[in-house]
Amino acid sequence: QSPLLRSVPWCGRPHPRSDVMASSSSTKAKSRGQPLVSAFPGDEIDLKGLPTRLGNGVVQNEDEKAVASRYGIVKRSNNNRVWIDSYRKRYIASVGDWVLGVVTEKHSNDYRVDIGEDQDARLSMLSFEGATKRNRPNLELGSLVYCGVSTANKDMESELTCISPFTKKEWVTGQTLFGLLKGGYVFKCSLRLARSLISPRCHVLRSLGAVLKYELAVGMNGKVWVNASSVEEIVIISKIIVNSEFLSDKDVDTMIEFTLERIAK
């Protein structure tokens, strides 16, 4: 499922009570029939004998075994990627993450982009689909870009790319997955909520898509861009997404119905 949802047809602030978050996670996990597996720093992660990509919170030790670097819930994706899902505020880039960033510096061959890390990431001017030295994007300072993390190292600046493996259209067409985002509104959310929005089973996006048309770009760095036909709809969608983090699917449906009824009056 793509983190960028265009014209979806079907489509942050931590809660003061940690037991609410645990209860919400447990309920959703049970509904899918998947037991929760927690890990503490240093615990070995079972890769089940499969080639696996290590995501945030999972590192390789001296014995070449995958271990957790922080406490959280062990999560796995369909493409054999494993990471630790924990409630943290600081974003640490990982190769393969899709992020939203703001251009802060412009040089002769690259841009510096703020993605929420300690230092800005680097985006080459040629890291766009179909870009050449003569035909390349000219981003202004403050531009919002959607891109992927191609290189991530704790001792070096991260490198970004706007070349997508899913689409082959050139950047000049404006139909690429990555690139400049125009209009709309950007809001911040918890990293945990951002990852849940990317899931194809995300209930709040499905429910919103059934009643409203919108565009959405989810960054794993806790930033979400949303665009709709009116400012009122953009505000409604943003508020509903942020408030849905600790709600059950039933409560999310109730919140959407109640909000739309109030707007209609």
Side-chain angles (χ1 to χ4, degrees):
Q1 178 66 25
S2 166
L4 179 62
L5 306 175
R6 291 198 175 276
S7 299
V8 181
W10 49 267
C11 253
R13 170 176 161 186
H15 200 285
R17 290 179 55 197
S18 59
D19 58 328
V20 174
M21 180 179 68
S23 174
S24 175
S25 299
S26 177
T27 301
K28 293 181 179 179
K30 288 179 180 178
S31 64
R32 296 193 297 264
Q34 300 177 355
L36 291 177
V37 178
S38 61
F40 286 88
D43 286 354
E44 183 178 345
I45 306 299
D46 182 15
L47 301 182
K48 301 181 179 180
L50 300 173
T52 306
R53 296 171 57 195
L54 305 183
N56 283 323
V58 182
V59 297
Q60 194 174 39
N61 62 9
E62 297 176 353
D63 299 328
E64 297 186 353
K65 295 182 178 179
V67 297
S69 62
R70 61 172 180 265
Y71 172 75
I73 306 299
V74 180
K75 296 284 188 177
R76 303 175 190 273
S77 65
N78 294 332
N79 59 351
N80 291 336
R81 179 172 180 169
V82 61
W83 72 92
I84 300 298
D85 184 18
S86 59
Y87 213 116
R88 57 193 175 90
K89 296 181 178 180
R90 179 174 169 237
Y91 172 70
I92 301 175
S94 179
V95 175
D97 283 358
W98 296 12
V99 296
L100 283 166
V102 177
V103 177
T104 57
E105 296 180 23
K106 182 179 180 180
H107 302 283
S108 58
N109 295 317
D110 57 38
Y111 302 99
R112 290 296 185 272
V113 182
D114 179 14
I115 60 173
E117 286 195 294
D118 293 338
Q119 56 183 344
D120 292 346
R122 176 180 176 273
L123 174 63
S124 171
M125 291 186 177
L126 299 180
S127 293
F128 293 81
E129 201 70 56
T132 63
K133 290 185 177 180
R134 293 186 176 182
N135 181 26
R136 57 188 184 180
N138 182 24
L139 303 180
E140 301 295 335
L141 296 183
S143 297
L144 180 69
V145 290
Y146 193 42
C147 41
V149 178
S150 58
T151 303
N153 190 306
K154 64 179 181 179
D155 300 319
M156 300 173 58
E157 63 185 6
S158 300
E159 292 191 11
L160 308 174
T161 179
C162 284
I163 298 177
S164 168
F166 304 104
T167 59
K168 295 301 179 182
K169 293 186 181 269
E170 296 189 358
W171 69 272
V172 292
T173 64
Q175 299 177 3
T176 56
L177 176 63
F178 294 137
L180 177 67
L181 294 178
K182 300 180 180 179
Y185 171 70
V186 179
F187 63 91
K188 294 183 179 180
C189 66
S190 69
L191 303 182
R192 180 174 174 270
L193 176 59
R195 288 192 176 275
S196 70
L197 293 174
I198 296 174
S199 170
R201 296 186 296 267
C202 182
H203 183 76
V204 63
L205 295 186
R206 287 176 177 269
S207 299
L208 282 171
V211 293
L212 296 172
K213 291 185 178 181
Y214 61 92
E215 295 177 281
L216 190 77
V218 181
M220 296 183 187
N221 55 339
K223 295 182 180 180
V224 180
W225 173 83
V226 61
N227 196 12
S229 58
S230 67
V231 175
E232 185 180 45
E233 289 185 359
I234 292 176
V235 173
I236 292 173
I237 294 169
S238 303
K239 293 296 183 182
I240 288 177
I241 290 175
V242 172
N243 294 333
S244 69
E245 182 170 5
F246 299 105
L247 298 179
S248 65
D249 293 348
K250 183 178 179 181
D251 290 338
V252 168
D253 292 336
T254 302
M255 175 177 61
I256 294 175
E257 182 180 357
F258 177 74
T259 303
L260 295 179
E261 285 181 354
R262 289 191 60 185
I263 297 300
K265 292 182 179 179

